[in-house]
C-alpha cells in the first residue's frame, strides 16, 4: 500500500493519514477482507508517529471501513461508497485550490469550463 502525505497541507497529520488510507481503500489498493500493514510500519513509511496512525485507524474503524481483531490486526471491512470517496477527493481539490488562492466558486468555474471544452488541455 503506497501512501503519501503533502508536507504543505495545513490539515492535522492524523486527518491527512486518515484521508490517505481512505483513498487507498477506495482506489482498491487494499480490498475488503485484506489486512493493513501494522501501524508502526505505516508510521515509518509516512514519517509520522505511530500514535498518529493509530488515531487515523480508529477514525476509519468508527466510519465502519476497518475492523480491529485481536491477534489478527486491522482489516478492511468495506470500501467507502462512491459519494463518500468522491467527497474526499473534492475536499482534497478544494484544499489544494485554497493553497493557490482559489475558493469553491473558482473551482466550480474551472470545472464548468473544462467540462464544456472536453477536459484539460
Amino acid at each position: 500500500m503506497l501512501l503519501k502525505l503533502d508536507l504543505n497541507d495545513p490539515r492535522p497529520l492524523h486527518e491527512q493519514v486518515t484521508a490517505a488510507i481512505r483513498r487507498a481503500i477506495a482506489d482498491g489498493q487494499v480490498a475488503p477482507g485484506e489486512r493493513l500493514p501494522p501501524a508502526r510500519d505505516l508510521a515509518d513509511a509516512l514519517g509520522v508517529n505511530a500514535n498518529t496512525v493509530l488515531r487515523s485507524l480508529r477514525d476509519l474503524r468508527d466510519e465502519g471501513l476497518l475492523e480491529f481483531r485481536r491477534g489478527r490486526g486491522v482489516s478492511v471491512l468495506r470500501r467507502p461508497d462512491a459519494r463518500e470517496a468522491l467527497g474526499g477527493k473534492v475536499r482534497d481539490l478544494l484544499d489544494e485550490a485554497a493553497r493557490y488562492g482559489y475558493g469553491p466558486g473558482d473551482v466550480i468555474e474551472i470545472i464548468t469550463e473544462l467540462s464544456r471544452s472536453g477536459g484539460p488541455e
Side-chain angles (χ1 to χ4, degrees):
M1 180 168 64
L2 179 63
L3 302 176
K4 295 180 187 174
L5 298 181
D6 180 358
L7 299 176
N8 297 317
D9 192 328
R11 292 179 298 168
L13 278 176
H14 76 276
E15 288 180 13
Q16 293 180 54
V17 172
T18 302
I21 296 171
R22 186 184 300 112
R23 192 169 32 252
I25 295 168
D27 292 347
Q29 291 181 36
V30 187
E34 286 186 47
R35 287 178 39 196
L36 293 181
R40 281 194 179 113
D41 292 352
L42 290 172
D44 288 344
L46 293 168
V48 299
N49 187 289
N51 288 324
T52 301
V53 172
L54 288 169
R55 182 174 180 184
S56 297
L57 295 175
R58 283 191 300 269
D59 289 346
L60 292 167
R61 178 197 59 200
D62 294 346
E63 288 179 24
L65 297 182
L66 301 179
E67 175 182 45
F68 290 26
R69 299 200 59 187
R70 216 176 272 281
R72 291 191 180 176
V74 178
S75 299
V76 176
L77 278 177
R78 65 175 181 85
R79 285 193 174 143
D81 66 71
R83 184 174 176 90
E84 187 179 349
L86 186 57
K89 291 181 181 199
V90 170
R91 279 189 296 279
D92 291 344
L93 173 62
L94 291 172
D95 289 342
E96 182 73 13
R99 284 193 281 279
Y100 288 102
Y102 291 101
D106 300 315
V107 173
I108 291 169
E109 210 173 285
I110 292 168
I111 292 169
T112 302
E113 288 172 15
L114 290 174
S115 64
R116 286 185 186 142
S117 69
E121 297 178 355

